[in-house]
Amino acid sequence: MKNLMFKSARALAVVAGLAVAGPALAAGDGPHVEKQPWSFAGPFGQFDKAQLQRGFQVYQEVCSACHGLSYVAFRNLAEEGGPGFSVDEVKALAAEYSIEDGPDNEGEMFERDGKPFDKFPSPFPNEQAARASNNGALPPDLSLIAKARAATRGFPWFVLDVATQYQENGPDYLYGLLTGYHEAPEGVEVPEGQYYNPGFIAGHTLAMAPPLSDELVEYSDGSPMTVDQYARDVSAFLMWTAEPHLESRKRIGFGVMAFLILFASLLYFTKRKIWRDVDH
Amino acid sequence: MAGHSTYEPQNAGAKWLERRLPVLSLVHGSFVAFPTPKNLNYWWTFGGIAFFVLVVQLITGIVLVMHYTPNDALAFASVEHIMRDVNYGWLMRYLHSNGASMFFFAVYIHIFRGMYYGSYKEPREIAWILGVLLFFLMVLTAFMGYVLPWGQMSLWGATVITSLFSAVPVVGEAITTWLWGGFAVGNPTLNRFFSLHYLLPFVILGVVMLHIWAFHVAGNNNPVGVDPKSDKDTVPFHPYYTLKDLFAIVVFMILFSWFVFYLPNYLGHADNYIPANPMVTPAHIVPEWFLLPFYAILRAITFDIGPIPSKLGGVIAMGGAIAILFVLPWLDTSKVRSANYRPVYRFFFWLFFFTTIMLGWLGSKPAEQPYIAWIQFFTVLYFAHFLIVLPVLGLIETPRKVPDSINDAVLGKSSDAA
Amino acid sequence: MEHTDTAEPSRRDFLYIATGAVGAVGAGALAWPFIHQMNPDASALALASIEVDVSAVEVGQSITVVWRGKPVFIRQRTEKEIAEATEVPIADLPDQFARNANLEEGADASDANRASTGKEAWLVMVGVCTHLGCVPLGESGDFGGWFCPCHGSHYDTAGRIRKGPAPENMLVPPYKFSGDDVVVIG
């Protein structure tokens, strides 16, 4: 009875909220992101090392022709929580790349073999060169791409995701993009040099030609050599390049949570004991 | 921060210090023996929680500065260096970026608690005003901190917000140029924001001390809203509230850790992982969630008001939304503090709460219909709460009977429950 | 009532002690990331080795290169310098250890243990005075080697401390010759 006003206020709030939110949120913006199963999802998620190695292979053989990985060093490939290459494999891999260094004693820049501490060299020397080679479009650096695309699942998911810890919208988006190339439907104009892909975040066409096709990359571990598998593997790999400490973050997080719950319980009983004799 | 101390120095060292600089008795009087109403509920712990997060922000911020480079060519890469190479750098940065959200979350609850229980009323006006000042300083600090990683949202958020000053008549352009140190947001802007972002938290710390001092003069308000009348109404701050606050802080840390370890980028914007590019504006510029209600009010004024163009009108409305909080103690005409005894006010309090939530949600939406109309509707509600509801309600509302003392209220409550 | 009065304190004490202990453990664990973040980061640890072309360094000349942010002296010594360094009895040296990262710990400070193995003329060492970290000057001091101007430490032609406040011989970093003219340090 005393809460009548309060209850009516709340009821009003809920009704008004639905009235505003319902139609507005249904419209949504950006592509629809389909949730995919990832080994690194959830509180105990960890990377699948074999998948990261395959994803790296896809990056190296396909993506790296146009896309850089400029915040990632070769040594990262052998570090804990990553694809799990050995130090020697990384040394050999780095040596396949040519890195500009210098100046030498004559003041000239020179090329030398890559070392583990070098970062992946970019395919183009600068933005202008990249645009000139790509019909005016700039292929983005992929180091952070899995965290840099604001693909959302819309209401009410964005609220529920706080509870379910869903934060794989980046790799979900990448997978959706790489598998999203289709014939343009009737009536959709595709400009010259563009390709139809409803999974793209800024419009329905983009300048990147479909990069993957079945049997394009030769896997040695017997995984299916399909566009679907390539897309999954390279998306997982790019999640790792964007968040290389994901595994230790979740592992430490579990310890922190367990500790805090224990400590909070003890404090609760301590606080109760102290307050036992006070009416409050 | 009040003279309630009955502190007697126990050992020779403490006695020596006490004669020369009585900090021990100050601390004892303020945080040990301080008589605190015994009926404070858990909403009262958010002041302590906010202070805890402030300390977290100070420490992680000092750590981040050890590795960060405030330069437009290097800032983004230095943040990635922190995230990838620095030992536990990712932890420091995620604590700091999520800490900003946690700070606002705690402070918003703290503010709403003050509004619900009338903690701004006589004689606590100065504590309230200092609190609003703290909030304003937090907004400034958070805004400048968001610029430092020098991603796309950093650059364009800074551009949009600093451009607000161009709405000022005559000198607007001169002010924005002065703020930028150039003709667009650039390296000079980044450097001065970095300098101020490092300075302001220490100013906040100082004002927090004044804020505590101010409400310790009058003593804490409490859910009943009646000042303590006897020793039966209070308990010493330690151990009763130290333990209660600590418990609440640890529970809050669970929420904090949930974001830091499992959803570290949930509250941020993906575009800030794209390096700043002055040639390309992101499709959709939004501030961080805690500034969204004010961002919505900024966009509410789409029409000219007499000689005031809509752009300036929006800036005035947004500034007014914070500024009106400063005079809240004089807008509320009711003598009864706690909303527990003001049924009509309680309804309007929750309506106001709902208004701010809706403004926050609408602030994240693009500037198009029907959002604009809804923003205008809720902006009117926001200001009406302060300018019409509070002054009028105090005159016409009949409050329920307020208990004579805290102890009476507590005993009455327990007999009700039994 | 009396019964509970006697039983209660110990149970309560246990709760307080347990809470305090758990809190202390947590505070300790929390402190570590904040301390460790100041240690060298992964990129600094990875920058391990440099290659130096020494073909232009004639007998009696030195060059200084930077390795891990510190100067490294590379000197091709003269016959006279080698002879002077070899003649000194090890017992006369203030620091009788080689301080050579390429040898076993505890190797003695003979000239052979200081110079490059198989290439006695070459001396490679970190050019940092072991006293307080200044960079000593070459071809100077009482022993014809290096002299540190900060506090007057004299090093001989094998980079060994002979006089002054420095406690140790200058350090020989891990290095090797790759081919005749290229030194790989680190």
Side-chain angles (χ1 to χ4, degrees):
Chain A
M1 189 186 78
K2 64 166 189 167
N3 274 332
L4 193 63
M5 290 293 258
F6 172 45
K7 277 181 181 153
S8 52
R10 273 206 303 216
L12 178 82
V14 171
V15 170
L18 290 176
V20 179
L25 287 162
D29 39 333
H32 180 69
V33 177
E34 202 69 55
K35 187 173 176 180
Q36 303 297 329
W38 299 107
S39 67
F40 48 85
F44 304 104
Q46 304 281 284
F47 288 116
D48 173 352
K49 287 187 169 52
Q51 182 175 45
L52 294 192
Q53 295 200 3
R54 292 195 303 271
F56 172 61
Q57 194 187 349
V58 175
Y59 166 75
Q60 208 184 12
E61 294 181 19
V62 183
C63 322
S64 67
C66 302
H67 294 279
L69 208 56
S70 56
Y71 293 109
V72 181
F74 296 115
R75 66 182 161 82
N76 295 143
L77 294 167
E79 281 167 7
E80 208 194 324
F85 287 106
S86 72
V87 172
D88 289 333
E89 283 171 320
V90 166
K91 274 186 183 157
L93 173 86
E96 292 170 18
Y97 287 78
S98 178
I99 305 284
E100 189 181 49
D101 202 348
D104 62 13
N105 291 340
E106 275 75 48
E108 304 293 330
M109 302 304 280
F110 59 91
E111 297 279 327
R112 60 164 173 80
D113 289 348
K115 295 275 176 61
F117 57 76
D118 287 316
K119 303 241 162 108
F120 276 86
S122 291
F124 303 103
N126 50 53
E127 183 183 329
Q128 286 76 4
R131 284 190 190 278
S133 311
N134 288 282
N135 212 4
L138 176 67
D141 189 272
L142 296 186
S143 316
L144 284 163
I145 201 80
K147 292 198 292 190
R149 288 295 175 269
T152 58
R153 296 202 297 158
F155 188 82
W157 288 109
F158 87 90
V159 180
L160 301 178
D161 289 344
V162 177
T164 62
Q165 298 186 350
Y166 170 78
Q167 55 158 13
E168 288 74 38
N169 41 6
D172 283 349
Y173 166 75
L174 296 175
Y175 170 80
L177 180 74
L178 291 171
T179 56
Y181 287 93
H182 296 297
E183 283 294 313
E186 282 296 317
V188 173
E189 188 93 11
V190 179
E192 180 72 25
Q194 297 266 312
Y195 302 86
Y196 180 75
N197 189 334
F200 187 50
I201 197 161
H204 287 321
T205 64
L206 74 167
M208 177 168 74
L212 300 173
S213 57
D214 290 349
E215 311 285 323
L216 180 68
V217 178
E218 186 76 24
Y219 279 162
S220 59
D221 66 352
S223 298
M225 296 191 280
T226 58
V227 169
D228 182 84
Q229 189 64 38
Y230 294 150
R232 280 179 204 284
D233 293 348
V234 79
S235 301
F237 172 71
L238 292 174
M239 186 66 216
W240 170 74
T241 63
E243 193 70 10
H245 296 295
L246 180 143
E247 289 195 357
S248 52
R249 167 159 64 73
K250 292 191 174 184
R251 201 171 50 238
I252 293 171
F254 180 73
V256 169
M257 283 292 176
F259 169 81
L260 287 176
I261 290 168
L262 169 71
F263 190 37
S265 318
L266 284 169
L267 279 171
Y268 177 71
F269 290 115
T270 304
K271 181 243 154 200
R272 279 241 315 217
K273 280 230 146 107
I274 285 173
W275 278 85
R276 194 183 36 174
D277 301 328
V278 181
D279 284 318
H280 64 284
Chain B
M1 302 207 170
H4 298 281
S5 183
T6 52
Y7 177 69
E8 291 286 342
Q10 292 304 312
N11 62 56
K15 281 180 185 142
W16 185 90
L17 183 62
E18 188 64 18
R19 271 193 62 202
R20 288 155 180 86
L21 185 68
V23 280
L24 292 175
S25 62
L26 180 72
V27 169
H28 187 267
S30 303
F31 303 107
V32 179
F34 188 74
T36 313
K38 65 182 184 176
N39 60 336
L40 300 187
N41 56 34
Y42 275 104
W43 299 114
W44 257 264
T45 61
F46 281 88
I49 289 169
F51 183 75
F52 163 77
V53 185
L54 172 63
V55 172
V56 170
Q57 292 301 83
L58 282 165
I59 294 172
T60 53
I62 288 167
V63 164
L64 288 171
V65 170
M66 294 180 185
H67 306 283
Y68 169 78
T69 311
N71 175 285
D72 63 353
L74 304 170
F76 190 89
S78 74
V79 172
E80 278 311 304
H81 168 66
I82 291 169
M83 292 296 289
R84 289 160 193 275
D85 290 336
V86 172
N87 305 311
Y88 294 107
W90 58 268
L91 177 59
M92 300 297 145
R93 178 171 177 246
Y94 280 153
L95 279 172
H96 198 71
S97 59
N98 286 286
S101 284
M102 294 299 132
F103 198 9
F104 276 91
F105 180 66
V107 162
Y108 276 131
I109 293 178
H110 188 63
I111 293 172
F112 279 119
R113 189 271 291 159
M115 295 173 98
Y116 185 88
Y117 292 108
S119 298
Y120 48 83
K121 291 184 192 184
E122 191 278 330
R124 297 184 183 84
E125 299 96 327
I126 295 290
W128 171 262
I129 288 170
L130 289 168
V132 180
L133 179 63
L134 282 170
F135 174 67
F136 180 66
L137 290 170
M138 281 172 62
V139 169
L140 277 184
T141 309
F143 161 67
M144 289 192 277
Y146 199 53
V147 176
L148 302 185
W150 210 237
Q152 274 290 68
M153 274 300 159
S154 299
L155 174 68
W156 292 101
T159 301
V160 167
I161 300 301
T162 50
S163 295
L164 294 178
F165 291 91
S166 67
V168 177
V170 187
V171 291
E173 287 300 324
I175 291 176
T176 43
T177 308
W178 175 76
L179 282 175
W180 292 337
F183 301 99
V185 174
N187 192 48
T189 327
L190 175 60
N191 272 285
R192 62 194 59 182
F193 279 16
F194 174 64
S195 168
L196 294 173
H197 182 74
Y198 204 106
L199 168 71
L200 284 179
F202 296 98
V203 176
I204 289 177
L205 191 62
V207 179
V208 165
M209 294 303 154
L210 295 179
H211 181 68
I212 294 172
W213 186 9
F215 79 75
H216 274 199
V217 171
N220 293 72
N221 185 29
N222 64 79
V224 177
V226 179
D227 287 331
K229 296 215 165 71
S230 69
D231 289 350
K232 276 198 287 185
D233 293 338
T234 63
V235 290
F237 189 78
H238 178 78
Y240 292 96
Y241 284 108
T242 43
L243 255 294
K244 189 170 181 174
D245 281 358
L246 185 59
F247 169 63
I249 285 169
V250 172
V251 171
F252 189 83
M253 286 167 82
I254 295 174
L255 174 79
F256 196 166
S257 303
W258 186 267
F259 281 96
V260 167
F261 292 104
Y262 298 121
L263 297 160
N265 295 303
Y266 179 83
L267 296 165
H269 198 289
D271 281 15
N272 231 21
Y273 281 110
I274 303 170
N277 180 352
M279 299 298 133
V280 182
T281 305
H284 193 175
I285 300 175
V286 279
E288 293 197 277
W289 68 267
F290 43 81
L291 303 178
L292 288 171
F294 302 101
Y295 194 60
I297 293 174
L298 171 72
R299 299 190 296 183
I301 311 298
T302 52
F303 43 86
D304 297 349
I305 307 164
I308 303 172
S310 63
K311 185 175 171 185
L312 180 59
V315 175
I316 291 172
M318 185 176 74
I322 293 182
I324 202 162
L325 294 170
F326 282 105
V327 291
L328 170 62
W330 294 277
L331 293 173
D332 186 345
T333 51
S334 171
K335 294 280 175 260
V336 177
R337 292 198 186 107
S338 172
N340 282 350
Y341 305 100
R342 298 181 64 193
V344 186
Y345 171 69
R346 194 159 67 221
F347 167 82
F348 283 105
F349 170 84
W350 287 110
L351 183 65
F352 176 73
F353 177 76
F354 172 72
T355 300
T356 56
I357 300 287
M358 289 311 290
L359 282 172
W361 175 70
L362 290 162
S364 73
K365 292 285 134 189
E368 56 195 43
Q369 296 296 2
Y371 306 121
I372 295 292
W374 281 110
I375 286 177
Q376 289 169 339
F377 172 72
F378 284 110
T379 300
V380 169
L381 281 190
Y382 183 95
F383 285 101
H385 180 76
F386 294 104
L387 297 174
I388 300 169
V389 173
L390 288 178
V392 173
L393 212 52
L395 305 176
I396 61 171
E397 183 187 22
T398 315
R400 288 171 50 209
K401 186 181 177 310
V402 178
D404 289 335
S405 73
I406 293 170
N407 202 40
D408 285 1
V410 167
L411 294 176
K413 186 177 75 181
S414 34
S415 64
D416 266 359
Chain C
M1 273 324 275
E2 247 170 85
H3 180 71
T4 38
D5 278 354
T6 49
E8 205 67 284
S10 69
R11 196 147 39 103
R12 183 193 293 180
D13 288 348
F14 174 76
L15 179 63
Y16 294 169
I17 291 165
T19 309
V22 169
V25 168
L30 180 67
W32 174 242
F34 289 88
I35 296 164
H36 190 43
Q37 54 89 15
M38 282 171 69
N39 279 322
D41 62 52
S43 62
L45 294 174
L47 280 177
S49 64
I50 57 166
E51 286 182 13
V52 185
D53 181 353
V54 293
S55 56
V57 181
E58 305 286 342
V59 173
Q61 289 185 341
S62 356
I63 56 168
T64 304
V65 295
V66 179
W67 175 69
R68 285 191 167 178
K70 290 189 282 201
V72 171
F73 298 149
I74 303 175
R75 179 169 179 82
Q76 186 171 11
R77 300 182 295 175
T78 62
E79 291 294 335
K80 179 165 165 286
E81 287 171 347
I82 300 169
E84 277 173 14
T86 316
E87 279 163 12
V88 182
I90 290 170
D92 289 0
L93 296 169
D95 177 14
Q96 297 177 5
F97 295 108
R99 309 290 172 191
N100 184 337
N102 305 286
L103 301 177
E104 294 286 312
E105 195 152 344
D108 68 51
S110 65
D111 185 66
N113 280 348
R114 298 278 303 165
S116 183
T117 312
K119 284 171 162 280
E120 260 71 47
W122 290 91
L123 183 65
V124 178
M125 60 187 186
V126 176
V128 172
C129 179
T130 56
H131 181 219
L132 292 171
C134 298
V135 178
L137 306 168
E139 295 176 48
S140 50
D142 294 356
F143 301 89
W146 285 264
F147 171 69
C148 182
C150 292
H151 304 95
S153 292
H154 298 257
Y155 296 87
D156 66 14
T157 54
R160 295 173 299 198
I161 181 65
R162 299 293 289 276
K163 196 173 114 186
E168 290 177 8
N169 304 327
M170 278 193 266
L171 295 179
V172 177
Y175 75 96
K176 62 177 190 289
F177 270 87
S178 117
D180 272 354
D181 291 330
V182 176
V183 181
V184 181
I185 303 173

